[in-house]
Amino acid sequence: MRGNYSFRQLSSTSYRSLQNEPINKKLQNATKTSTPSKKTLTQKRSEPKNKKSASSDSEIVKWNMSITTHMRHGQWESALQVFNSMPRRSSVSYNAMISGYLSNDKFGLARDMFEKMPDRDLVSWNVMLSGYVRNRNLGAARVLFDRMPERDVVSWNAMLSGYAQNGYVDEARKIFDRMPDKNEISWNGLLSTYVQNGRIEEACRLFESKEDWEVVSWNCLMGGYVKRKRLVDARRLFDQMPMRDEISWNTVVTGYAQNGELSEARRLFEESPSRDVFTWTALVSGYVQNGMLDEARRVFDEMPEKNEVSWNAMIAGYVQCKRMDTARDLFEAMPCRNISSWNTMITGYAQSGDISQARNLFDRMSQRDSISWAAIIAGYAQSGHGEEALHLFVKMKRNGERLNRSAFTCSLSACADIAALELGKQLHGRLVKAGLETGCYVGNALLAMYCKCGSIDEAYDIFEEISEKDVVSWNTMIAGYARHGFGKEAMTVFESMKTAGIKPDDVTMVGVLSACSHTGLLDKGTEYFYSMNCDYGITANSKHYTCMIDLLGRAGRLDEAQNLMRNMPFEPDAATWGALLGASRIHGNTELGEKAAKIIFEMEPDNSGMYVLLSNLYAASGRWGDVSRMRLKMRDNGVKKVPGYSWLEVENMVHTFSVGDSFHPEKGRIYAFLEELDLKMKLDGYVSSTKLVLHDVEEEEKEHMLKYHSEKLAVAFGILSIPAGRPIRVMKNLRVCEDCHNAIKHISKIEGRLIILRDSHRFHHFSGGSCSCGDYW
């Protein structure tokens, strides 16, 4: 709160001349004035003392106005030169400097000037007090307030405002109660504090304790009711108002519109004695929020004038309904675009998967804010371009933009997708420094990052640190343990979730059933599947059935899996048939595998993974003619096999490998090391799984083809590059093959290293010659 303090004004002519005069000339003139001629001295001796004093005061006013002018234009150094050149200063001079420093964000200089001040008046104390409040240094503000030799209503209001703006509602109330004199600013300040902090009942009691409230106060309380969807109370207040302004009408129209009562909103809109652009916009926004775009557009087109909010509301409506072409037409026609307009369009294109259009708009922006950066980072992260998302995050930081929760969360998601654990840890550190790591929103992003990067222990540490876990927190931890093959740990977290009073949802049960499937907990999984409707009111969907069919299939109970599929209350999808095909491959049931594959090909003719699964099944049975037939079928149908590649992060750089890679700069060293490993593995009992090679060639050639799979190359490079004692984390875009799985078990034993491999299905933790999956995958 600021007091209404103003400096004495110069005449317009003298003010303009002083303003346009160069600073050096002003100082020269000041020097000339302070060194008068003999004639002037003679004249001055004959002048009365009060006239001399008036003349001197007039000069000080000129200097003070010069200081104020410089400060207003951000020229605080020039203002200081003027201040230092003054032959005499008043408290107004000091106050002008202090106030100017504060308005130019030079708080330290303002504080130093205040401390040097020989005689402080009430204005000085109030200005400095407001400075502390603006800088959110409430402790120092309170110390200064308590030191004040005298206080007026401005002092009390400044302190009340400080507590209110920072959410210290009870402290604000104590200040209010202690105030010897209160004005409308005091009453309105406390009322708005209660409303903004959701303490609506206390706001109501305060309102009822006084009768002569201004219309702004009525509007404030009514707005609080509207925000909390208490329309009956808001309407009662509206009807009781002794006088209404446009804000009153806008507030009640907005309330009904936002809550879907469009007919009443429209009736009040028609009754409104004078409609401004905000009244019209409230109605447009109401229609938009309720999905009535055509009606919203009709009102929008009727508007006598539109502002940025009106245009943005209409554009946002089209964006939410994925009508990007119409949104773009409106955006291009908009005469008054602001950052919000650009951000809405960027977000719309990013969410609809058109990242190139989103980037085009982002690059065209003349000015960006943290929301712009977060929107484009999220777009790249969600569309699978994790590296570009992280590149933009680094660029955002270099540009000095404030890093907000959304940007951090999207960047953590990108780290998770490409398994950039070290960079994710650095982001975690920055979050802690920024004080943003608390709460579910960021905590869940950190939890997911550590889970997906293969650091399940650190994930659990984050999980424990989240003070108020929501269902997403629990689900992420359960799914994380499930993907890592730690079924018992997943079950423990699930039981703790129920003990904590968090009701499981359908996502929870997918995680629980997946954990049972990955670790062979057949009886437990069956129990959960058939009891979840009774225990938690969850009706099984296709994902639950797929998990259960996968669980039965992996356990070799293929007939039960088929029976469950036949009794599903809906038609099985490609994922469900894929689970059956995978089980057929594991147990060598070619007939069932062919049946499942035929149906999958009809549903998803471009699903190359299913062609490969069936080919593996044929190859394992020695049916090379069928393998060739599948290869021809893929070619004839234009289906391209997704190339397998593996990657790992070493010293903040991601190294990617493909089968038989010949492009890595250290390929010679890697291949030589693999040859050495191959000899050691064979001595340890390793035998190549040549049956997996989808070509009818000699055994020796098959062994050679298996030797240089991408995951083996990545593991070898990891051992050569990552210091002993640290885990080697390798990611693969496809499922790890049986031969590589077997080989890495031997490598972990020979090299004494923990190797964590994430494939497209799950994590494998290799250590001492065994895998966490127990070869059940």
Side-chain angles (χ1 to χ4, degrees):
M1 304 281 181
R2 294 176 181 160
N4 296 320
Y5 304 113
S6 60
F7 300 114
R8 291 161 61 185
Q9 301 294 314
L10 295 169
S11 69
S12 59
T13 305
S14 62
Y15 176 69
R16 281 197 299 272
S17 63
L18 183 65
Q19 192 177 31
N20 296 328
E21 206 173 0
I23 184 65
N24 291 336
K25 190 172 180 182
K26 291 176 191 174
L27 295 176
Q28 290 168 9
N29 290 342
T31 306
K32 290 176 183 177
T33 304
S34 61
T35 314
S37 64
K38 287 183 180 179
K39 182 179 178 182
T40 306
L41 286 171
T42 305
Q43 289 174 344
K44 287 193 174 184
R45 286 192 193 100
S46 62
E47 291 175 354
K49 286 187 178 180
N50 60 351
K51 189 172 182 181
K52 284 173 66 178
S53 177
S55 175
S56 178
D57 287 347
S58 177
E59 291 300 314
I60 291 177
V61 170
K62 292 179 182 179
W63 290 94
N64 291 344
M65 284 304 302
S66 179
I67 290 171
T68 303
T69 301
H70 283 303
M71 287 296 192
R72 191 177 294 128
H73 290 88
Q75 300 164 350
W76 60 271
E77 291 174 327
S78 299
L80 180 60
Q81 287 181 355
V82 174
F83 179 82
N84 288 336
S85 303
M86 292 178 70
R88 190 165 74 86
R89 306 181 185 101
S90 66
S91 60
V92 177
S93 314
Y94 281 91
N95 293 342
M97 288 297 296
I98 295 169
S99 180
Y101 278 141
L102 291 173
S103 64
N104 283 283
D105 295 324
K106 302 294 177 184
F107 178 77
L109 295 175
R111 183 184 55 213
D112 293 344
M113 182 65 69
F114 177 78
E115 294 299 334
K116 292 174 184 176
M117 203 172 169
D119 295 304
R120 303 178 188 125
D121 58 14
L122 183 56
V123 177
S124 318
W125 289 92
N126 284 341
V127 169
M128 199 63 228
L129 182 64
S130 296
Y132 276 115
V133 167
R134 278 210 305 269
N135 280 269
R136 296 179 179 272
N137 194 341
L138 293 186
R142 185 54 187 262
V143 170
L144 190 74
F145 180 78
D146 292 337
R147 282 174 53 200
M148 291 179 71
E150 62 173 319
R151 308 181 188 105
D152 62 3
V153 70
V154 175
S155 322
W156 289 93
N157 283 343
M159 207 63 231
L160 188 150
S161 173
Y163 284 128
Q165 290 170 9
N166 289 277
Y168 298 109
V169 183
D170 294 332
E171 287 79 358
R173 180 60 197 242
K174 289 175 185 176
I175 287 288
F176 179 82
D177 290 338
R178 285 180 55 199
M179 290 179 73
D181 297 300
K182 303 177 180 72
N183 59 12
E184 288 302 319
I185 294 174
S186 318
W187 286 92
N188 290 335
L190 185 61
L191 181 71
S192 64
T193 300
Y194 280 137
V195 169
Q196 289 166 12
N197 287 275
R199 294 165 68 160
I200 200 74
E201 299 304 332
E202 289 166 280
C204 187
R205 285 195 294 271
L206 180 71
F207 192 82
E208 290 171 353
S209 70
K210 182 175 176 288
E211 293 184 355
D212 54 337
W213 289 95
E214 297 177 340
V215 67
V216 65
S217 309
W218 288 82
N219 291 339
C220 176
L221 184 58
M222 183 166 58
Y225 283 134
V226 165
K227 188 176 180 181
R228 283 151 194 84
K229 302 185 184 301
R230 292 173 56 170
L231 280 186
V232 173
D233 292 319
R235 182 56 181 268
R236 174 181 51 78
L237 207 63
F238 178 78
D239 292 338
Q240 290 174 358
M241 290 181 73
M243 185 175 69
R244 304 180 186 123
D245 60 9
E246 289 174 335
I247 295 174
S248 316
W249 287 94
N250 294 346
T251 302
V252 75
V253 169
T254 300
Y256 281 111
Q258 288 178 346
N259 285 278
E261 298 188 31
L262 274 305
S263 59
E264 185 63 14
R266 185 63 194 240
R267 192 181 69 77
L268 287 165
F269 173 82
E270 299 293 349
E271 284 183 14
S272 179
S274 62
R275 304 177 200 127
D276 61 9
V277 66
F278 299 103
T279 324
W280 285 87
T281 302
L283 194 60
V284 170
S285 298
Y287 283 126
V288 165
Q289 289 168 14
N290 287 277
M292 301 170 67
L293 277 189
D294 293 338
E295 188 62 24
R297 184 58 184 266
R298 189 182 66 77
V299 175
F300 177 81
D301 289 339
E302 289 176 5
M303 292 179 69
E305 69 168 308
K306 306 176 181 76
N307 62 10
E308 296 161 344
V309 180
S310 321
W311 286 89
N312 288 342
M314 200 65 241
I315 291 171
Y318 287 125
V319 166
Q320 288 162 14
C321 292
K322 307 294 184 186
R323 293 169 61 176
M324 290 306 300
D325 289 343
T326 311
R328 184 60 177 262
D329 290 342
L330 212 58
F331 174 77
E332 296 296 345
M334 186 175 179
C336 49
R337 292 181 205 143
N338 58 11
I339 290 181
S340 179
S341 319
W342 291 85
N343 291 347
T344 301
M345 290 299 299
I346 290 169
T347 302
Y349 278 124
Q351 290 178 348
S352 62
D354 195 344
I355 194 65
S356 61
Q357 283 284 16
R359 183 58 182 265
N360 176 265
L361 285 176
F362 180 80
D363 290 338
R364 281 175 52 195
M365 292 180 76
S366 58
Q367 183 183 1
R368 305 181 184 110
D369 61 8
S370 58
I371 298 173
S372 318
W373 286 95
I376 194 67
I377 290 169
Y380 275 109
Q382 291 162 8
S383 60
H385 298 87
E387 291 186 36
E388 183 60 22
L390 294 172
H391 171 74
L392 282 166
F393 180 84
V394 172
K395 191 174 179 181
M396 176 184 181
K397 181 178 175 295
R398 286 175 182 165
N399 283 16
E401 191 60 61
R402 183 178 63 86
L403 301 175
N404 58 13
R405 279 185 172 85
S406 181
F408 270 114
T409 302
C410 294
S411 299
L412 286 169
S413 176
C415 288
D417 290 339
I418 64 172
L421 179 62
E422 293 306 315
L423 185 54
K425 286 182 175 180
Q426 291 175 28
L427 289 176
H428 186 182
R430 292 190 180 279
L431 275 166
V432 172
K433 286 182 181 179
L436 300 174
E437 84 281 11
T438 56
C440 281
Y441 183 62
V442 172
N444 289 343
L446 280 169
L447 175 58
M449 186 274 292
Y450 281 115
C451 281
K452 290 183 179 179
C453 287
S455 189
I456 195 69
D457 291 337
E458 287 178 278
Y460 188 73
D461 290 341
I462 294 296
F463 176 74
E464 288 287 271
E465 289 173 8
I466 300 174
S467 57
E468 295 183 9
K469 302 174 182 68
D470 61 7
V471 69
V472 176
S473 314
W474 293 94
N475 289 350
T476 304
M477 196 68 245
I478 291 168
Y481 274 133
R483 284 199 70 188
H484 282 263
F486 301 132
K488 292 180 181 177
E489 288 82 352
M491 297 302 103
T492 300
V493 172
F494 178 57
E495 294 302 324
S496 298
M497 177 184 185
K498 294 188 290 183
T499 302
I502 305 296
K503 184 181 178 181
D505 61 11
D506 59 327
V507 178
T508 314
M509 297 314 298
V510 169
V512 168
L513 292 173
S514 177
C516 294
S517 176
H518 281 310
T519 47
L521 299 174
L522 181 60
D523 293 339
K524 201 71 176 172
T526 304
E527 177 189 336
Y528 283 132
F529 178 77
Y530 287 106
S531 66
M532 65 182 184
N533 186 275
C534 178
D535 291 348
Y536 316 117
I538 298 170
T539 302
N541 60 30
S542 61
K543 291 182 179 178
H544 300 118
Y545 275 95
T546 299
C547 286
M548 195 61 203
I549 289 165
D550 185 57
L551 176 59
L552 291 167
R554 286 175 185 274
R557 294 160 73 161
L558 297 177
D559 290 339
E560 289 180 53
Q562 290 183 81
N563 287 334
L564 182 62
M565 184 182 288
R566 291 190 196 100
N567 293 323
M568 286 170 60
F570 36 73
E571 288 297 315
D573 58 15
T576 310
W577 282 107
L580 201 59
L581 175 56
S584 302
R585 183 194 65 81
I586 293 171
H587 297 286
N589 191 325
T590 308
E591 182 182 350
L592 181 58
E594 286 180 318
K595 175 185 175 182
K598 181 180 178 182
I599 296 172
I600 294 170
F601 295 153
E602 291 173 359
M603 292 181 172
E604 296 180 351
D606 297 328
N607 190 332
S608 62
M610 296 301 109
Y611 284 91
V612 173
L613 266 180
L614 186 57
S615 295
N616 284 336
L617 187 55
Y618 286 141
S621 304
R623 294 170 56 175
W624 297 110
D626 288 323
V627 172
S628 298
R629 182 173 58 81
M630 292 305 300
R631 193 179 298 117
L632 288 172
K633 187 175 181 179
M634 287 180 71
R635 187 191 66 186
D636 293 344
N637 292 343
V639 179
K640 292 185 178 181
K641 181 184 175 184
V642 176
Y645 59 91
S646 301
W647 69 97
L648 76 164
E649 183 186 16
V650 178
E651 295 180 352
N652 285 340
M653 283 188 63
V654 176
H655 297 258
T656 304
F657 299 88
S658 58
V659 61
D661 197 295
S662 60
F663 296 103
H664 196 277
E666 294 193 51
K667 61 181 183 296
R669 185 170 166 233
I670 295 168
Y671 279 91
F673 181 64
L674 267 180
E675 291 295 334
E676 292 177 18
L677 272 179
D678 189 54
L679 292 173
K680 293 178 181 178
M681 286 192 296
K682 286 178 178 176
L683 289 173
D684 194 52
Y686 163 71
V687 178
S688 297
S689 302
T690 53
K691 64 179 181 179
L692 299 173
V693 177
L694 301 182
H695 297 278
D696 189 11
V697 294
E698 296 297 325
E699 288 294 306
E700 185 177 345
E701 178 64 18
K702 288 182 179 180
E703 285 187 19
H704 182 78
M705 295 170 73
L706 289 171
K707 190 183 297 183
Y708 304 120
H709 274 191
S710 64
E711 49 265 63
K712 290 177 183 171
L713 294 173
V715 167
F717 179 68
I719 294 170
L720 292 171
S721 307
I722 298 171
R726 291 179 58 189
I728 297 164
R729 291 181 170 85
V730 174
M731 312 294 148
K732 183 169 182 177
N733 66 323
L734 303 177
R735 190 171 184 177
V736 62
C737 79
E738 185 180 319
D739 181 72
C740 286
H741 188 271
N742 186 29
I744 296 171
K745 284 196 297 183
H746 287 279
I747 292 171
S748 71
K749 177 183 175 183
I750 293 165
E751 294 296 321
R753 302 295 295 266
L754 170 61
I755 301 168
I756 300 171
L757 172 66
R758 184 185 90 182
D759 67 11
S760 60
H761 282 66
R762 61 174 296 160
F763 280 88
H764 300 266
H765 293 241
F766 300 93
S767 178
S770 62
C771 179
S772 60
C773 71
D775 296 335
Y776 190 85
W777 57 286

